[in-house]
Amino acid sequence: AQTVTQSQPEMSVQEAETVTLSCTYDTSENNYYLFWYKQPPSRQMILVIRQEAYKQQNATENRFSVNFQKAAKSFSLKISDSQLGDTAMYFCAFRGGATNKLIFGTGTLLAVQP
Amino acid sequence: KAGVTQTPRYLIKTRGQQVTLSCSPISGHRSVSWYQQTPGQGLQFLFEYFSETQRNKGNFPGRFSGRQFSNSRSEMNVSTLELGDSALYLCASSLRGGPSSYEQYFGPGTRLTVT
């Protein structure tokens, strides 16, 4: 069975600084996808970034980038130039096999301090 | 293009009652998945529908059921409500189901409170 682990329940960062959120996963699948979702206080789940396992190049989306280490089964999210609007719960998610099912980690609550 | 919509947004029910939640996917999306989010259990997959067929089901009792209509709109039903069913229920749609790279887009959720 696939599992996703986020070992940092809470993190804090100063505005304009960089922060990295950790995520590890376990799977026997070869073809899978990894995602980071953001859930602000409004509770709307927003896709931040995705990574296809077959791609070696790390995904980037503006200030958000990932460090995908397939052999180590690690998928961390780096947020550069943190902004107050980045304050949210961040979930790492896995999707693999013959299913559209997302398996989520327990989340990391990120607070950006002014 | 309009996003995923869920109705109602908030719901209060009594133990033993049943409830039906509705989800309208993004236009053109044919896959709809449902998730339950609680403080204790986190985000858990309920089921996925594609082309009116349930493709996958999570580890929930039979009191939780769903269906999908020909226009891809989906409903989920919970019968004989228990206090533990209080949760945020999230619906997500994607262009296709199965092993694809298509992202899932989430709706705002329905907050269900069982008293």
Side-chain angles (χ1 to χ4, degrees):
Chain A
Q2 295 94 349
T3 58
V4 177
T5 301
Q6 293 179 251
S7 57
Q8 306 153 314
E10 294 184 27
M11 292 192 72
S12 182
V13 64
Q14 293 296 124
E15 202 174 2
E17 294 189 345
T18 296
V19 64
T20 298
L21 310 184
S22 301
C23 173
T24 58
Y25 60 94
D26 190 24
T27 184
S28 57
E29 299 282 350
N30 284 322
N31 187 26
Y32 54 88
Y33 307 89
L34 296 163
F35 306 86
W36 279 98
Y37 280 90
K38 165 185 175 181
Q39 189 177 42
S42 67
R43 309 302 282 177
Q44 176 82 49
M45 194 77 77
I46 301 165
L47 177 66
V48 174
I49 198 167
R50 75 170 191 183
Q51 174 80 42
E52 292 90 342
Y54 61 85
K55 289 187 178 179
Q56 292 186 334
Q57 187 173 7
N58 289 324
T60 62
E61 286 288 342
N62 301 312
R63 298 182 295 106
F64 299 88
S65 62
V66 300
N67 183 5
F68 174 49
Q69 301 290 327
K70 191 172 183 179
K73 296 181 180 174
S74 170
F75 182 61
S76 61
L77 173 70
K78 185 172 83 170
I79 305 174
S80 304
D81 186 25
S82 296
Q83 301 176 359
L84 296 178
D86 295 333
T87 292
M89 183 72 87
Y90 286 81
F91 291 97
C92 177
F94 170 97
R95 187 178 80 211
T99 176
N100 216 11
K101 167 185 175 181
L102 285 170
I103 299 170
F104 287 91
T106 50
T108 296
L109 181 60
L110 176 67
V112 180
Q113 307 292 344
Chain B
K1 186 180 276 191
V4 179
T5 58
Q6 291 187 246
T7 56
R9 292 293 310 279
Y10 302 91
L11 205 50
I12 300 175
K13 289 286 189 179
T14 304
R15 270 182 302 176
Q17 288 185 317
Q18 75 163 10
V19 67
T20 299
L21 312 182
S22 180
C23 171
S24 292
I26 293 171
S27 177
H29 284 196
R30 296 172 62 194
S31 171
V32 173
S33 298
W34 289 88
Y35 295 85
Q36 181 196 64
Q37 185 175 24
T38 61
Q41 299 298 317
L43 281 150
Q44 293 187 289
F45 172 79
L46 280 156
F47 26 65
E48 179 202 357
Y49 286 87
F50 179 72
S51 294
E52 302 178 64
T53 302
Q54 188 180 89
R55 294 177 60 94
N56 201 4
K57 190 177 192 304
N59 189 26
F60 279 82
R63 300 185 297 107
F64 291 81
S65 63
R67 59 177 176 170
Q68 186 180 34
F69 301 95
S70 59
N71 62 358
S72 295
R73 189 177 70 85
S74 177
E75 289 181 347
M76 68 163 281
N77 184 77
V78 187
S79 62
T80 320
L81 283 166
E82 300 177 0
L83 294 179
D85 297 333
S86 294
L88 180 68
Y89 290 88
L90 293 167
C91 164
S93 80
S94 64
L95 196 58
R96 292 182 61 186
S100 73
S101 64
Y102 295 106
E103 295 94 343
Q104 291 188 36
Y105 296 89
F106 283 80
T110 294
R111 169 74 66 185
L112 172 65
T113 302
V114 182
T115 61

